[in-house]
Amino acid sequence: MPVLVITGTGTEVGKTVATAAVAAAALAAGRTVAVLKAAQTGVRPDEPGDADEVARLAGAVTKAEVARYPEPLAPATAARRAGLEPVRPHQVAEAAAKLGTEHDLVLVEGAGGLLVRFDHEGGTLAHVAELLRAPVLVVASAGLGTLNTTELTARELRRRKLELAGVVIGSWPDSPDLASRCNLADLPDVSGAPLLGALPAGAGRLDPADFRAAAPGWLAPRLDGTWDAEAFGVREAPPGDS
């Protein structure tokens, strides 16, 4: 898996912190890692973006952006309002492929959800994954409403014949409610893919050294982690999961 595309079921689901956890676990396993932000919005030229946050938390990763725009909007809209060129899927794919020649793992983080538009021709992160023939990791929320958005994302990936590597819960509450507990079984069912981890709420506020030490414990072995899904309460797996 030299390239892994990471998307969310929407905004504010913990995608950047989850990307940092995947990077930290891979680094702890002795792999070299690059993190590519396809389109950074909502930051000025002199402000740190999501790739910088991943590097702060995870450690020695190579960080890169394809484009950035000042307003916190969908990339296509932010580019238009700023009078800047939009980012194109082929640009993201080319940048990821180049990083892939120099690193064991390249994490391509999208902006928002899978079908958020990069340009006015309808280019999206899904097109990037198609160009790279890369698996996609979906970061989802824990509670009520997550089943619908996760299933819609999974269905779109299957429609495009893209591999859904699995689902990670971006923020697992300290005191999970009934919906969150039930979703441990239901998320693999509706997505047709395994649950590959759960990050504790507030993980991004940890000291970086503590974050790096803990990250492998939040992620399943196929993401270089030690997370035990069954011990966590995940009792069902989709057909064909190993």
Side-chain angles (χ1 to χ4, degrees):
M1 196 187 338
V3 179
L4 179 65
V5 174
I6 301 180
T7 191
T9 55
T11 58
E12 306 300 324
V13 296
K15 183 170 71 276
T16 296
V17 179
T19 301
V22 174
L27 288 169
R31 305 171 75 187
T32 57
V33 181
V35 176
L36 177 66
K37 182 69 176 181
Q40 177 68 62
T41 64
V43 295
R44 298 189 307 267
D46 60 335
E47 287 183 312
D50 291 344
D52 297 289
E53 179 64 3
V54 171
R56 184 186 73 83
L57 289 170
V61 302
T62 298
K63 58 185 180 179
E65 292 176 356
V66 179
R68 69 161 49 196
Y69 308 104
E71 294 182 312
L73 302 168
T77 305
R80 184 186 72 239
R81 286 179 52 84
L84 298 171
E85 283 295 312
V87 62
R88 310 289 185 185
H90 73 86
Q91 294 174 305
V92 182
E94 288 167 3
K98 181 178 180 181
L99 289 167
T101 66
E102 304 161 348
H103 299 82
D104 299 323
L105 177 64
V106 180
L107 303 176
V108 180
E109 183 186 347
L114 181 69
L115 298 184
V116 170
R117 293 196 171 195
F118 289 165
D119 57 36
H120 302 301
E121 288 74 43
T124 66
L125 189 67
H127 292 102
V128 174
E130 288 173 344
L131 290 168
L132 291 166
R133 298 182 181 177
V136 179
L137 181 68
V138 173
V139 181
S141 58
L144 199 63
T146 194
L147 298 181
N148 179 62
T149 53
T150 301
E151 184 166 1
L152 287 171
T153 302
R155 286 189 181 192
E156 181 63 16
L157 288 168
R158 287 195 296 272
R159 187 184 73 82
R160 293 172 177 264
K161 297 181 171 55
L162 289 168
E163 178 188 349
L164 172 52
V167 178
V168 167
I169 296 173
S171 181
W172 182 253
D174 295 331
S175 300
D177 60 13
L178 177 61
S180 297
R181 296 195 303 273
C182 289
N183 287 340
L184 290 176
D186 292 340
L187 278 168
D189 184 40
V190 302
S191 67
L195 192 60
L196 294 182
L199 278 65
R205 296 192 295 272
L206 291 174
D207 177 84
D210 294 334
F211 182 94
R212 295 164 197 169
W218 304 330
L219 300 171
R222 68 182 68 186
L223 293 176
D224 295 310
T226 59
W227 185 71
D228 186 333
E230 186 173 348
F232 195 80
V234 182
R235 308 209 183 279
E236 298 181 18
D241 181 42
S242 58

